[in-house]
Amino acid sequence: MRLKVGSRMQRSGNNGGNVSSGFSTKLVSLFCIASFCFGVFVVNRLWAVPDLVDTDKNIAASTGKYGNINPAIKCDHKKIDASANGDRRSHAIKTLDKTIYSLEMQLAAAREAKAENEKKATDAKSGNNSSNYNAQKVFFVMGIITAFSSRKRRDSIRETWMPQADALKKLEKDKRIVIRFVIGHSATPGGVLDRALDAEEAEHKDFLRLNHVEGYHELSSKTQIYFSTAVSKWDADMYIKVDDDVHVNLGILSSLLSRHQSKPRIYIGCMKSGPVLGHKGVKYHEPEYWKFGEEGNKYFRHATGQIYAISKDLAKYISVNRDILHRYANEDVSLGSWFIGLDVDHIDERSLCCGTPPDCEWKAQAGNPCAASFDWSCSGICKSVERMVQVHQLCGEDRDIF
C-alpha cells in the first residue's frame, strides 16, 4: 500500500501539479484575478474623487473668503485669490498715497515755519527793522502783474488810478493799502532787461520783485509765487491780483472788500465757467483737457484772471502748499483748482468785470460805479496804453472821496 500511494503522488507531481501545496496553478491564477477585480471595485466605491465644484465649495466653506457659491457654477478659486490680492494691494497703495500726501503737507508747513524763523533770526542779528514793518497789519495788498515789455502800460496806470511817490506812501500809512507792480527776473539775471527794471524801480519804488523767471506760460507759477511772497512780507486781510491792462477804482474796491473783511476763506471775483479747449493752436489751449471729463465739458467755477481777491488764510494755504499745488496752463484755472475740495466762499462780484465806456460810464451815472473795468474781447482794456486815460476820465472815481 505504501508503495502504491507514493507512486501516485510522484506521478501527480510530474503532471505539473503544485508539489509543495498540492493546489492547481489554474486555481491560483483565478484567485489572483478575482482579488484584483475586487480591489478595483472597492477603491472606486470608497475613494471617489470629488469634482471641481465640490472642491471649491469645500474650500469656500472652510475659509469663509468667498461666501456662498452656487453649486451649478464652476469657479476658478485661483482667479478669486488673485482678485482679492489685487484689491488688498490697491487699498495699500491708496493708504500709502494718503500718508505721503499728509507728510508732504506737514513738511511744507515745517519748511515755511523754518524759513520764517531763519529770516527773523537774520533780521535780529543784522539789526534790520524791516521785519517789524513787514509784520505790520494792512488792509489789502494789490499785486499788478506785469512784464518787462510793459513799461508803457505801467506808466499809463501811474498816470491814472495808481498813486505815486508820497501819495503811495500816504495810502499805505493812512488806508493800510499796499500796491506794487509784480515781476520776476529774466532768463539771464543781470542782463539788459533786469538793469532797465532796476532803474525804473529806483525811480518809482513801486515794485515787488519775485524769484521767478518771466514768461507767458509761467503765469500760474508766477501767481503762486506772488501770493507766497506777499503773505510773507505783509500781514493783510486780503490779497489781490490784477493785470496791468485793467482800470481799478481803489475807493470802490476798498468798500467792496470791507464787507467781507472779517470772513474766513473768501474768494472774490467775476466768476465764470468757460469751455475746456483741448484743440492745439487755439488761445487758452488746455493740454490737460482730458482731466475735465468728456469733450465739450466746462471748467469748474472760478474767477476770471483779470482781477480777483483772496483772504489771508487762502493766501497762506497757497504759500504752505506751493510745492504740491498743480499748475494748469491757464492761471485763473489753476487758482480755482487749488480751492476745489476746500470750504471756500466763492463770491461772484460783477462790479469787478465792468466793460469800458460806455458800460462803466452809464453805471457810474446811475450810482453804481465799477470797481474794475476791461474789455472781454481783449482780456483787458484794448489798446490800454492809448485808452487808459480816457477810461479813467469817464469811469474813474473822484480822488477826493478816497
Side-chain angles (χ1 to χ4, degrees):
M1 287 294 290
R2 291 180 181 176
L3 293 174
K4 289 182 180 179
V5 173
S7 301
R8 186 180 299 174
M9 291 179 63
Q10 187 176 5
R11 285 195 301 269
S12 175
N14 293 335
N15 291 333
N18 190 335
V19 177
S20 61
S21 63
F23 289 100
S24 173
T25 55
K26 293 183 179 180
L27 292 176
V28 173
S29 299
L30 290 174
F31 178 79
C32 293
I33 293 172
S35 298
F36 174 79
C37 293
F38 180 78
V40 172
F41 173 78
V42 171
V43 170
N44 288 338
R45 291 289 293 176
L46 299 181
W47 294 350
V49 179
D51 59 14
L52 186 58
V53 174
D54 292 335
T55 301
D56 287 340
K57 190 174 181 181
N58 292 335
I59 292 174
S62 62
T63 61
K65 292 182 179 179
Y66 312 128
N68 295 327
I69 299 178
N70 188 345
I73 302 175
K74 294 185 177 181
C75 299
D76 188 345
H77 62 275
K78 292 183 180 180
K79 291 183 179 180
I80 297 177
D81 286 341
S83 176
N85 291 334
D87 292 340
R88 286 194 293 270
R89 283 194 296 270
S90 178
H91 177 72
I93 291 172
K94 290 180 180 179
T95 303
L96 181 60
D97 287 342
K98 291 181 179 179
T99 303
I100 292 174
Y101 175 76
S102 177
L103 291 174
E104 287 177 340
M105 296 277 285
Q106 296 175 21
L107 180 61
R111 189 186 299 114
E112 184 71 17
K114 181 180 178 181
E116 291 180 0
N117 292 335
E118 290 177 349
K119 185 178 184 303
K120 290 179 180 178
T122 302
D123 291 339
K125 289 180 180 180
S126 61
N128 185 1
N129 294 325
S130 62
S131 60
N132 295 330
Y133 173 76
N134 292 342
Q136 180 183 359
K137 184 72 175 178
V138 300
F139 179 17
F140 67 78
V141 174
M142 174 181 286
I144 307 173
I145 305 298
T146 190
F148 286 109
S149 59
S150 299
R151 172 64 190 263
K152 291 183 178 180
R153 284 187 178 184
R154 292 192 290 273
D155 286 340
S156 70
I157 290 177
R158 292 181 179 119
E159 293 170 5
T160 53
W161 60 266
M162 179 180 175
Q164 284 298 293
D166 292 339
L168 185 63
K169 294 180 181 179
K170 188 174 187 298
L171 182 67
E172 296 180 15
K173 181 179 179 181
D174 297 345
K175 301 295 184 179
R176 299 185 300 120
I177 294 175
V178 177
I179 304 177
R180 296 288 187 274
F181 287 105
V182 179
I183 195 168
H185 56 80
S186 65
T188 55
V192 176
L193 295 177
D194 291 296
R195 291 198 300 270
L197 197 64
D198 291 340
E200 185 181 351
E201 183 179 11
E203 178 184 357
H204 295 282
K205 296 180 175 60
D206 54 5
F207 280 94
L208 174 61
R209 306 290 289 271
L210 304 178
N211 183 18
H212 166 76
V213 179
E214 286 294 315
Y216 177 78
H217 296 291
E218 297 295 330
L219 286 178
S220 294
S221 178
K222 183 176 181 179
T223 301
Q224 191 180 71
I225 296 173
Y226 157 61
F227 283 120
S228 299
T229 304
V231 79
S232 66
K233 192 173 181 64
W234 293 284
D235 181 16
D237 294 323
M238 296 281 185
Y239 296 84
I240 303 170
K241 176 263 177 182
V242 60
D243 289 341
D244 62 3
D245 55 354
V246 174
H247 181 270
V248 177
N249 284 323
L250 293 175
I252 298 170
L253 178 62
S254 178
S255 177
L256 184 159
L257 295 179
S258 65
R259 298 198 297 267
H260 308 285
Q261 190 172 357
S262 60
K263 300 177 183 177
R265 298 179 299 280
I266 296 298
Y267 177 31
I268 306 174
C270 195
M271 299 294 169
K272 66 174 183 177
S273 179
V276 181
L277 304 178
H279 298 289
K280 293 183 178 180
V282 299
K283 191 176 183 180
Y284 307 124
H285 166 63
E286 178 57 70
E288 297 180 274
Y289 62 91
W290 58 273
K291 288 185 177 180
F292 298 92
E294 301 298 329
E295 185 176 355
N297 279 1
K298 292 185 176 182
Y299 287 114
F300 40 78
R301 191 70 60 178
H302 62 281
T304 185
Q306 284 81 358
I307 182 171
Y308 50 74
I310 61 175
S311 54
K312 176 172 61 177
D313 43 7
L314 293 182
K316 284 187 174 181
Y317 173 81
I318 293 174
S319 176
V320 170
N321 299 286
R322 60 182 179 270
D323 294 331
I324 59 175
L325 292 176
H326 185 70
R327 294 183 292 273
Y328 290 99
N330 300 301
E331 158 258 331
D332 53 353
V333 173
S334 294
L335 184 84
S337 71
W338 299 338
F339 302 148
I340 292 294
L342 302 182
D343 186 13
V344 175
D345 188 3
H346 290 59
I347 298 177
D348 185 16
E349 181 55 62
R350 309 312 292 183
S351 68
L352 289 175
C353 53
C354 294
T356 55
D359 181 42
C360 58
E361 184 181 9
W362 291 341
K363 290 178 180 178
Q365 293 174 356
N368 188 27
C370 297
S373 301
F374 58 87
D375 298 309
W376 284 103
S377 59
C378 300
S379 299
I381 297 177
C382 298
K383 298 181 179 180
S384 62
V385 173
E386 296 83 0
R387 297 182 59 224
M388 185 65 75
V389 173
Q390 176 199 13
V391 173
H392 185 67
Q393 291 174 345
L394 297 176
C395 300
E397 62 194 347
D398 187 350
R399 285 288 184 88
D400 295 335
I401 65 175
F402 184 67

